[in-house]
Amino acid sequence: MIITIQQQTLDHIQTIEHYKQVLALLSWDTNTYAPKNSKKQLAKIQSTLATKLHLLQTNSDFRNNLELLLQEDLNELQRKIFNLHLKEFTELSSISIEDIQQFSLKKALTSTNWAIAKLNNNFQLVQDDLKEIIETKKRFANLKNPNLSPYDQLLNEYEPDILTKTIDPLFENIKSTIIPFLNQIRNVNSNLDTSFIKNPFPIEKQKILGKELLKSIGYNFESGQMGVTQHPFSAGIHSGDARLAVKYVGNNVKVGALMTLHEGGHSLYTQNINEKLVDTGLGKYTSMGFHESQSIFWEKIIGKHEEFWKIHFPFLQQHHPEVYKNVSFNQFFFALSEVKPSLTRYEADDITYPLHIIIRYEIEKELFTNEVNVKDLPEIWNAKYKNYLDIRPTNYSEGILQDIHWYSGSFGYFPSYLLGFIYAAQLREAIIKDYPNFDQLIAAGDFSTILQWQTQNIHQFGKLKSSKEILNSLNISEISERPLLEYLIQKYGRLYSTFALK
Amino acid sequence: MIITIQQQTLDHIQTIEHYKQVLALLSWDTNTYAPKNSKKQLAKIQSTLATKLHLLQTNSDFRNNLELLLQEDLNELQRKIFNLHLKEFTELSSISIEDIQQFSLKKALTSTNWAIAKLNNNFQLVQDDLKEIIETKKRFANLKNPNLSPYDQLLNEYEPDILTKTIDPLFENIKSTIIPFLNQIRNVNSNLDTSFIKNPFPIEKQKILGKELLKSIGYNFESGQMGVTQHPFSAGIHSGDARLAVKYVGNNVKVGALMTLHEGGHSLYTQNINEKLVDTGLGKYTSMGFHESQSIFWEKIIGKHEEFWKIHFPFLQQHHPEVYKNVSFNQFFFALSEVKPSLTRYEADDITYPLHIIIRYEIEKELFTNEVNVKDLPEIWNAKYKNYLDIRPTNYSEGILQDIHWYSGSFGYFPSYLLGFIYAAQLREAIIKDYPNFDQLIAAGDFSTILQWQTQNIHQFGKLKSSKEILNSLNISEISERPLLEYLIQKYGRLYSTFALK
């Protein structure tokens, strides 16, 4: 039997993808069911497999074959598959395996130290670690692509072709529109009592609600499952296995419900990628921002839609009458949507959420562009919160130590959250163009029409289309913050004028 | 840095063990939480990793290094590690990788067909598959060790150094003692009503009971977890990760409780292996029979002990008063222990259980020793059930299609169940020699003393000691069926004379 170079290369790619999938599964396990005493060994196993994966990805015969094949007459799919892996080869082989292993260790150690530091409200504990991580990230970014500034390179790893020069004007405009708008509504008083939202809501009941919500939006439980974890995530292993894990807070059903819809949105994306792409490397979300656009669409655009809760509010009243029998729909909906500056990103309302992200973006960019002393970070953070949100962290844990991202080496990631919100609003306009009765679809609980539209225009392609190609196919020329700002100001302007204390 | 051959070899072994551990984890996942639509892809991933593992195990440089090292001056631990892997090399490399892959496929296919055949009560559907599996197993056994008969080779893969000539007299004696004993007690009538045992017992409550039982016997939940599955198993991934999965039957708490103790017993073994052995290959149970001895010890010797249930029966009364408030302890204990020939192995009582195994052993041996026509198997099976248990399957599903073992290529496995029971009774005598107050330990709920004894004498060693070496260290010269027969006849003689309808 003669195996062609092309088949041999596709087989090699399949093996690479299998290793990625098993690593995703091990990461799911680590963060859900793995017993405490298994974690150290699990990390060793992951390291063995990650090293093997790296060797497969940076194999020089593989590179030669890819280059050879790319000179041939290929169809579009083949060309995209081979290009993707050649790009991966180039980036990965620019850094030595020893460097990668050492940095993995450093990141793991710093993540652990971060948890201790956060618990003890002690930034000094991780200050030097963080400094070292930033320096290493700069060095790696330069090695990967000396033609880009380090921070632009980092941005690109999450959002191809998006640079600071694209983001800066978008985020500036959002900031300068939202801050005055926030000041306008933050002092509006409502006569609706929303204190019930923090009443105890047993976790078992929250799980039942979460399952109900996921079913309703079209999450396929035969291609996924719901787990419990500390930091919510969706493990997009492949289209047949898009598990998600949620964190529940016993006295905050809002967090449980919205997080479930958020991770559900990520998982809908994965579940609806064309299964033929599974072992090619193209069977994944096209960019982090687009991945986030899908989670935010289901969490914020649908999951905070008045009509969505007109359907689901009776479920709350039926399953948790202790709290909900005396709560009106208006009270509930206002509690769900209420704008209230807080220090915590993942609990933030729709209006302040962009500001949480912009603060992190501005600090990251500064860290990688100019010389910032890491020891000054807590004060830089706190000053920005005071400036933009008019609240000020009183300790490190609520401030500079809030998120794990930087301490686990993720820089350039935060902007994806806001890019996702921006895309989501653009996609909302696009679907409304096709379905002017969008609100009625939601009112009728017809989420399958919406999901079908997403699948057809976005999900199915995986990495076959870039973010920009998807936008263009919907007659959107480029990323723009206008739809987001219009959506927010219209929605929250109306909400606050309706329920303002007259 | 110069890496010695020894270090290089130990590193290679560590990698091998990591692949085995990840495969064990994937198998756990497949059988517990993996969503339906992920299974096909999961099988492909497993195949990729299994192929890689096979290449690592049969690498010729690795073999050369092992042989080189074994000529050197080694300590006992080193010698055992290297010998184990050289043996593995020899067995695995006797069969080509293509043969192994093809047979894996055949086994997977036949397992699937078996499930369909069982559901449809149609043996003909898998008859030819089974024939092919038997022929391949014979061929492989001859390749692995031409000096042993194929069936002895298969036995050895589960229980080193145990041959048919050892088993035959043991099993013959058990059969000729138990059949008349069974006939003696099967017609004894009791005035205790045991029908309540098949009353509905909600699965959620069974889980709570199971957790309580596991806690009580010393299962460490920080090195394991309880899952739900169709075919109960314990995944002994390593000493820090001994997960178990149980099947619950809504109207049979006996199955849930005893299965939990059974898998708990397996897991206690794994959890208490010296953790220094983890990546050497020696960090596993020493033989299948010994593994089974530990599960049977906790399921049958402890879990069917009157004193054990004196502690736990109040839990049933408290958590499930609907059924248990009007049930006396004697009624419960008799229902738990009742001897009643049935067609299903995994539900069998202590007296008929050995006969279920002996039937399977006799058929397997015959299949591999003489020419048996596979199409005659259903009748051979049914005739033996009629002869030994005086009941006769009325369909294939309860008969020849009952267990998956043969259809998934496992021959030589069944005897381990009875060898385990035999060992368990021998170990019971040994612990009573050290703790003559054994019954009082159970009455006092002092299972930690028993577990400590097992850890010290059995568990900690993993594969460092063979079954025979462990027996010898307890002043037991060899495997013997006497303790089992004495235990059964004494226990069940007393039970039936106490509760016989006078």
Side-chain angles (χ1 to χ4, degrees):
Chain A
M1 188 171 66
I2 296 167
I3 300 176
T4 62
I5 290 185
Q6 176 150 339
Q7 192 51 51
Q8 198 184 321
T9 307
L10 287 171
D11 287 348
H12 190 85
I13 288 172
Q14 174 170 294
T15 305
I16 285 176
E17 295 303 317
H18 286 175
Y19 274 84
K20 285 185 191 167
Q21 289 160 25
V22 81
L23 282 165
L25 207 49
L26 293 182
S27 156
W28 157 269
D29 191 68
T30 308
N31 291 298
T32 52
Y33 303 116
K36 186 172 163 240
N37 294 336
S38 76
K39 303 247 172 138
K40 217 176 99 189
Q41 183 68 13
L42 203 47
K44 283 170 70 184
I45 297 173
Q46 285 169 310
S47 161
T48 295
L49 295 180
T51 304
K52 175 66 190 163
L53 170 61
H54 190 266
L55 291 173
L56 288 167
Q57 290 172 305
T58 58
N59 178 295
S60 58
D61 288 343
F62 177 48
R63 191 255 325 263
N64 294 341
N65 287 343
L66 288 170
E67 284 175 345
L68 218 69
L69 287 164
L70 282 164
Q71 288 161 19
E72 285 180 17
D73 190 26
L74 298 171
N75 65 33
E76 194 204 348
L77 176 64
Q78 293 166 330
R79 187 161 299 279
K80 289 205 165 163
I81 294 172
F82 298 142
N83 262 325
L84 181 80
H85 288 275
L86 188 59
K87 188 171 171 242
E88 231 173 52
F89 174 92
T90 313
E91 287 204 359
L92 289 170
S93 56
S94 61
I95 301 164
S96 77
I97 179 91
E98 292 75 21
D99 260 7
I100 289 176
Q101 283 173 336
Q102 214 177 325
F103 190 51
S104 287
L105 222 64
K106 181 78 208 169
K107 287 189 292 187
L109 192 76
T110 308
S111 300
T112 310
N113 286 344
W114 162 79
I116 299 166
K118 187 172 178 177
L119 202 68
N120 295 295
N121 187 34
N122 183 351
F123 177 63
Q124 283 70 38
L125 205 65
V126 282
Q127 195 178 299
D128 291 342
D129 289 336
L130 183 59
K131 203 174 156 189
E132 194 182 325
I133 284 184
I134 294 167
E135 276 157 17
T136 310
K137 290 294 278 190
K138 276 187 196 169
R139 187 162 62 85
F140 284 4
N142 273 322
L143 288 167
K144 283 182 183 172
N145 190 345
N147 303 320
L148 276 182
S149 80
Y151 190 62
D152 274 337
Q153 165 60 22
L154 291 170
L155 282 177
N156 258 254
E157 289 174 19
Y158 298 101
E159 198 64 19
D161 307 319
I162 293 275
L163 305 174
T164 45
K165 71 174 181 210
T166 328
I167 293 182
D168 283 343
L170 297 174
F171 284 14
E172 269 309 315
N173 198 14
I174 290 173
K175 198 166 77 174
S176 65
T177 310
I178 277 190
I179 292 179
F181 181 68
L182 176 63
N183 289 329
Q184 202 181 312
I185 61 173
R186 73 185 301 167
N187 295 317
V188 174
N189 287 315
S190 158
N191 54 4
L192 294 172
D193 176 15
T194 59
S195 60
F196 69 90
I197 201 83
K198 297 239 166 178
N199 278 356
F201 201 123
I203 287 173
E204 283 312 312
K205 286 188 183 175
Q206 289 198 45
K207 281 188 197 167
I208 297 172
L209 171 66
K211 200 164 182 181
E212 183 70 15
L213 296 179
L214 287 179
K215 257 194 227 159
S216 130
I217 66 171
Y219 179 81
N220 181 356
F221 280 91
E222 296 202 335
S223 300
Q225 57 143 310
M226 276 171 76
V228 178
T229 185
Q230 275 307 307
H231 304 278
F233 70 107
S234 85
I237 299 162
H238 54 80
S239 58
D241 197 351
R243 309 172 187 202
L244 56 87
V246 183
K247 177 186 177 174
Y248 297 99
V249 182
N251 62 355
N252 197 336
V253 65
K254 203 166 135 177
V255 171
L258 294 176
M259 282 290 141
T260 303
L261 288 168
H262 184 95
E263 302 310 332
H266 280 305
S267 299
L268 288 179
Y269 193 167
T270 305
Q271 289 187 337
N272 292 299
I273 294 173
N274 188 332
E275 64 174 353
K276 286 184 189 148
L277 299 176
V278 66
D279 281 334
T280 65
L282 296 173
K284 293 198 80 176
Y285 55 92
T286 190
S287 76
M288 194 55 87
F290 243 73
H291 209 345
E292 208 57 31
S293 79
Q294 299 308 291
S295 57
I296 287 179
F297 192 93
W298 288 98
E299 176 203 345
K300 295 184 190 293
I301 311 275
I302 306 280
K304 288 187 153 188
H305 198 291
E306 201 173 334
E307 299 298 339
F308 182 82
W309 284 103
K310 285 211 178 126
I311 300 173
H312 293 292
F313 184 62
F315 190 93
L316 291 179
Q317 291 189 303
Q318 187 194 328
H319 282 77
H320 199 34
E322 300 86 333
V323 168
Y324 284 93
K325 72 166 179 245
N326 296 319
V327 171
S328 72
F329 176 78
N330 280 347
Q331 270 177 289
F332 174 74
F333 185 66
F334 190 70
L336 190 80
S337 318
E338 203 170 11
V339 176
K340 205 179 247 172
S342 79
L343 295 168
T344 318
R345 177 182 60 82
Y346 84 93
E347 284 186 336
D349 58 78
D350 288 1
I351 297 297
T352 57
Y353 189 76
L355 299 176
H356 286 271
I357 302 307
I358 291 171
I359 289 172
R360 287 155 176 79
Y361 169 70
E362 290 178 349
I363 297 176
E364 292 193 336
K365 200 177 67 163
E366 196 70 7
L367 274 170
F368 279 80
T369 315
N370 298 312
E371 285 306 312
V372 175
N373 207 324
V374 167
K375 83 168 177 14
D376 298 332
L377 280 178
E379 185 44 37
I380 297 176
W381 180 288
N382 293 352
K384 282 190 190 281
Y385 266 84
K386 179 68 192 148
N387 271 346
Y388 302 169
L389 289 158
D390 199 25
I391 46 175
R392 203 185 151 88
T394 55
N395 60 49
Y396 296 128
S397 308
E398 293 178 328
I400 191 70
L401 290 174
Q402 182 175 133
D403 297 299
I404 195 179
H405 300 58
W406 294 341
Y407 307 91
S408 63
S410 297
F411 290 89
Y413 187 119
F414 278 127
S416 320
Y417 294 121
L418 185 46
L419 293 174
F421 206 176
I422 293 171
Y423 286 138
Q426 291 189 280
L427 295 169
R428 178 179 163 274
E429 282 195 355
I431 191 172
I432 289 175
K433 225 183 276 169
D434 288 348
Y435 290 99
N437 62 339
F438 180 67
D439 290 343
Q440 287 96 302
L441 287 179
I442 299 173
D446 182 4
F447 302 113
S448 65
T449 299
I450 297 169
L451 181 55
Q452 221 161 33
W453 184 91
Q454 290 180 328
T455 299
Q456 210 164 4
N457 292 293
I458 307 163
H459 299 169
Q460 61 160 322
F461 300 112
K463 282 185 183 303
L464 261 183
K465 285 192 183 181
S466 69
S467 310
K468 199 168 158 50
E469 284 168 337
I470 292 171
L471 290 182
N472 293 166
S473 76
L474 294 164
N475 294 316
I476 301 169
S477 66
E478 60 183 349
I479 186 167
S480 155
E481 79 289 9
R482 182 197 48 76
L484 175 63
L485 290 174
E486 284 180 10
Y487 166 75
L488 289 177
I489 285 167
Q490 200 208 349
K491 172 168 176 173
Y492 287 90
R494 198 166 73 93
L495 186 83
Y496 271 83
S497 64
T498 310
F499 294 120
L501 197 58
K502 303 272 164 44
Chain B
M1 189 172 66
I2 296 167
I3 300 176
T4 62
I5 290 185
Q6 175 150 338
Q7 193 50 53
Q8 199 183 322
T9 307
L10 287 171
D11 288 348
H12 191 85
I13 289 172
Q14 174 171 294
T15 305
I16 286 176
E17 295 303 317
H18 285 175
Y19 274 83
K20 286 185 191 166
Q21 289 159 26
V22 82
L23 281 165
L25 208 48
L26 292 182
S27 157
W28 157 270
D29 191 68
T30 309
N31 291 298
T32 52
Y33 304 115
K36 186 172 164 240
N37 294 337
S38 76
K39 303 248 171 138
K40 216 175 100 190
Q41 183 68 11
L42 203 46
K44 283 170 70 185
I45 297 173
Q46 284 169 311
S47 161
T48 295
L49 294 181
T51 303
K52 175 66 190 164
L53 170 61
H54 189 267
L55 292 173
L56 288 166
Q57 289 172 305
T58 57
N59 178 294
S60 59
D61 288 343
F62 177 47
R63 191 255 324 264
N64 294 341
N65 287 342
L66 288 171
E67 283 175 345
L68 217 67
L69 287 164
L70 282 164
Q71 286 161 20
E72 284 181 16
D73 191 25
L74 298 171
N75 65 32
E76 195 203 346
L77 177 63
Q78 293 166 330
R79 188 162 298 280
K80 289 205 165 163
I81 294 172
F82 298 142
N83 263 325
L84 181 79
H85 289 276
L86 189 57
K87 189 172 169 242
E88 231 172 52
F89 174 91
T90 312
E91 287 204 0
L92 290 170
S93 56
S94 60
I95 301 165
S96 75
I97 180 91
E98 292 76 20
D99 261 6
I100 289 176
Q101 283 174 335
Q102 215 178 323
F103 190 51
S104 287
L105 222 64
K106 180 79 208 167
K107 287 189 292 186
L109 192 76
T110 308
S111 300
T112 309
N113 286 344
W114 162 80
I116 300 166
K118 187 172 178 178
L119 202 68
N120 295 297
N121 187 34
N122 183 351
F123 177 63
Q124 283 69 38
L125 205 66
V126 281
Q127 196 177 298
D128 291 342
D129 288 336
L130 183 59
K131 203 173 158 189
E132 193 183 325
I133 283 185
I134 294 167
E135 277 158 16
T136 310
K137 289 294 277 190
K138 276 186 194 168
R139 186 162 64 83
F140 284 4
N142 273 321
L143 287 168
K144 282 181 184 174
N145 190 344
N147 302 319
L148 276 182
S149 80
Y151 190 62
D152 275 337
Q153 165 59 21
L154 290 171
L155 282 176
N156 257 254
E157 289 174 20
Y158 297 102
E159 198 64 18
D161 307 320
I162 293 275
L163 305 174
T164 45
K165 71 174 182 211
T166 327
I167 293 181
D168 283 343
L170 296 174
F171 283 15
E172 269 309 317
N173 199 13
I174 290 173
K175 197 166 77 176
S176 64
T177 309
I178 276 190
I179 292 178
F181 181 67
L182 175 63
N183 288 331
Q184 202 179 313
I185 60 172
R186 74 185 301 168
N187 296 318
V188 174
N189 286 316
S190 158
N191 54 4
L192 293 173
D193 176 15
T194 58
S195 59
F196 69 90
I197 202 82
K198 298 239 164 176
N199 278 356
F201 200 124
I203 286 174
E204 284 312 313
K205 285 188 183 175
Q206 289 197 45
K207 281 188 197 168
I208 296 172
L209 170 67
K211 199 163 183 184
E212 183 71 16
L213 297 178
L214 287 179
K215 258 193 227 160
S216 131
I217 66 171
Y219 179 82
N220 181 356
F221 280 90
E222 296 202 337
S223 299
Q225 56 142 310
M226 278 172 75
V228 178
T229 185
Q230 275 308 307
H231 304 279
F233 70 107
S234 86
I237 300 162
H238 54 79
S239 58
D241 196 351
R243 309 172 188 202
L244 57 86
V246 183
K247 177 187 178 173
Y248 298 99
V249 183
N251 61 356
N252 197 337
V253 65
K254 203 167 135 177
V255 171
L258 294 175
M259 282 290 141
T260 303
L261 288 167
H262 184 94
E263 302 309 333
H266 279 305
S267 299
L268 288 179
Y269 193 167
T270 305
Q271 289 186 338
N272 292 300
I273 295 173
N274 188 332
E275 64 174 353
K276 284 184 190 149
L277 300 176
V278 67
D279 282 334
T280 65
L282 296 172
K284 293 198 80 176
Y285 56 92
T286 190
S287 75
M288 194 55 88
F290 242 74
H291 209 344
E292 208 57 32
S293 80
Q294 299 307 292
S295 56
I296 287 179
F297 192 93
W298 289 98
E299 176 202 344
K300 295 186 190 292
I301 311 275
I302 305 280
K304 288 188 153 187
H305 198 290
E306 200 171 335
E307 299 299 339
F308 181 82
W309 284 103
K310 286 210 178 127
I311 300 173
H312 292 291
F313 184 62
F315 190 94
L316 291 179
Q317 292 189 302
Q318 187 195 329
H319 282 77
H320 200 34
E322 300 86 333
V323 168
Y324 285 94
K325 72 167 179 243
N326 294 320
V327 171
S328 72
F329 177 78
N330 281 347
Q331 269 177 288
F332 174 74
F333 186 66
F334 190 71
L336 191 80
S337 317
E338 202 170 11
V339 176
K340 204 179 247 172
S342 79
L343 296 168
T344 317
R345 177 181 61 82
Y346 84 93
E347 283 185 336
D349 59 78
D350 288 1
I351 297 297
T352 56
Y353 189 74
L355 298 175
H356 286 271
I357 303 307
I358 290 171
I359 289 172
R360 287 156 177 78
Y361 169 71
E362 290 179 350
I363 298 176
E364 291 193 336
K365 201 178 66 166
E366 197 68 8
L367 275 170
F368 279 82
T369 316
N370 300 311
E371 286 305 313
V372 175
N373 206 325
V374 167
K375 82 167 177 16
D376 298 332
L377 280 179
E379 184 43 38
I380 297 176
W381 179 287
N382 293 353
K384 282 191 189 282
Y385 265 84
K386 179 68 191 148
N387 271 347
Y388 301 169
L389 289 159
D390 199 26
I391 46 175
R392 201 186 154 88
T394 54
N395 59 48
Y396 296 128
S397 308
E398 294 179 328
I400 191 69
L401 290 173
Q402 182 176 134
D403 297 299
I404 194 179
H405 299 59
W406 294 341
Y407 307 90
S408 64
S410 296
F411 290 89
Y413 187 119
F414 278 127
S416 319
Y417 294 121
L418 186 46
L419 294 173
F421 206 176
I422 292 171
Y423 285 138
Q426 291 189 280
L427 295 169
R428 179 179 164 273
E429 282 195 356
I431 192 173
I432 288 175
K433 225 183 275 168
D434 288 348
Y435 290 99
N437 62 339
F438 179 68
D439 290 342
Q440 287 97 303
L441 287 179
I442 299 174
D446 182 3
F447 304 111
S448 65
T449 298
I450 297 169
L451 181 56
Q452 220 161 33
W453 184 91
Q454 290 180 328
T455 300
Q456 210 163 3
N457 292 295
I458 307 162
H459 299 170
Q460 61 160 321
F461 299 112
K463 281 186 182 306
L464 262 183
K465 285 191 182 181
S466 69
S467 310
K468 200 168 158 52
E469 285 168 336
I470 292 171
L471 291 182
N472 293 165
S473 76
L474 295 165
N475 294 316
I476 300 169
S477 66
E478 61 184 349
I479 187 167
S480 155
E481 79 290 8
R482 182 197 47 77
L484 174 62
L485 290 173
E486 284 181 10
Y487 166 76
L488 288 177
I489 285 168
Q490 201 207 348
K491 172 168 174 171
Y492 287 90
R494 199 165 73 91
L495 186 83
Y496 272 82
S497 64
T498 309
F499 294 120
L501 196 59
K502 302 272 162 45

